[in-house]
Amino acid sequence: MLNSADRIPARGPRLALVLALSALGQSAVADSVPEDYLAGKRAFVAEVAERHGLDRQALAALLDQARYDPAVVAAITRPYEGQPWHRYRALFLTEERIRGGVDYWKAHAPLLARAEAVYGVPPSIIVAIIGVETRYGTFLGRYRAIDALTTLGFAYAPRADFFRRELEALLLLAREESIDASAVLGSYAGALGKPQFIPSSYRAYAVDFDGDGRRDLWGSDADVIGSVANYLARHGWRRGAPIAVPASLAEGVAVDGGLADLSIAGKVPVEPTHDLATLRAAGFLWQAPLEEAARAVPIRLEGGRGPELWLGLDNFYTITRYNRSNLYAMAVLQLGAAIESAVDGP
């Protein structure tokens, strides 16, 4: 829809000014494109066309449509996960997102039940991941995937190799699933669809859960739900096992003291390796029942009223394989619990 300003035609000097400003803007954008970006495109075309038997001219024409986007670089340097836990939590634990999760759960209850039966992942976790990623499919990203992945693959040195591989995966995915690689939108990191799978994960873990012969993470909620569950199952989800439990410290034990060389995770995930006896000896206390054979890692997050202590178990670590952040996994856990409570409530 056009607003009133859009409907006013530009005439005379005003038109000349508009055209002049437009030309200046286009020139500035062109001048700001790093040379590495342009050279990277050329090298990528030659390498990938040969490796996969792709038409070199067609691939070059496709990548000619890609545009360097400095907003992508700006976004990746300030991720949500850089915030303290209490601020990050407030982004996702909202009444609106909880209500949306309840609606999504009720609308797809049979699919969620089938996914749990097949993969062992409970509906609360599947729904919460979709809610955190794309607000249940209502916001799928604002960046063209081809722009994001070329920008990061050719002009973002810290992770260029990773994003070039994802660009290559996008091209192969487009061929396999009949996706228009020049038009599809996603996140600033090139993640796609309602569950925001990066292209390599789409190729490896997406499933055709509705049996229509293709894996559609935009239009098929069956495929979305099944794919999220399959991803977690393939990364070690344990059916019926706990995820994380709140913890505290015995009187006189200070977490800042290092706890006799016991590692304590913060935002960055650490695989659970400590047995419960070791944790008890270090002064950790918890109320939730845990099997004595369980392995856990202490996690310290920045709460609004001071540190929050948790014990993360194997399933918590599995959630961090979706997004390598303890803040992300905790948001999924707590959002899922809030949604489940609302679904089960009056």
Side-chain angles (χ1 to χ4, degrees), residues 15-28:
L15 175 58
L17 177 61
V18 169
L19 293 175
L21 290 174
S22 175
L24 284 172
Q26 292 174 4
S27 175

Side-chain angles (χ1 to χ4, degrees), residues 37 40-41 44-45 58-70 72 140-155 163-164 166-174 179-192 199 218:
Y37 178 81
K41 272 190 185 182
F44 181 88
V45 167
L59 181 56
L62 173 63
L63 289 194
D64 278 345
Q65 299 178 54
R67 295 292 177 263
Y68 173 76
D69 188 349
V72 167
L140 301 178
R142 63 171 61 94
Y143 302 94
R144 282 203 312 167
I146 197 169
D147 294 339
L149 292 174
T150 55
T151 296
L152 297 174
F154 306 140
F163 286 109
R164 280 196 297 272
E166 290 306 316
L167 176 60
E168 184 174 349
L170 174 66
L171 300 174
L172 299 176
L173 176 67
I179 294 168
D180 185 352
S182 69
V184 65
L185 299 180
S187 75
Y188 63 77
L192 306 171
W218 287 273

Side-chain angles (χ1 to χ4, degrees), residues 117-132:
V118 173
Y119 299 108
V121 183
S124 61
I125 297 299
I126 299 172
V127 173
I129 284 177
I130 300 168
V132 168

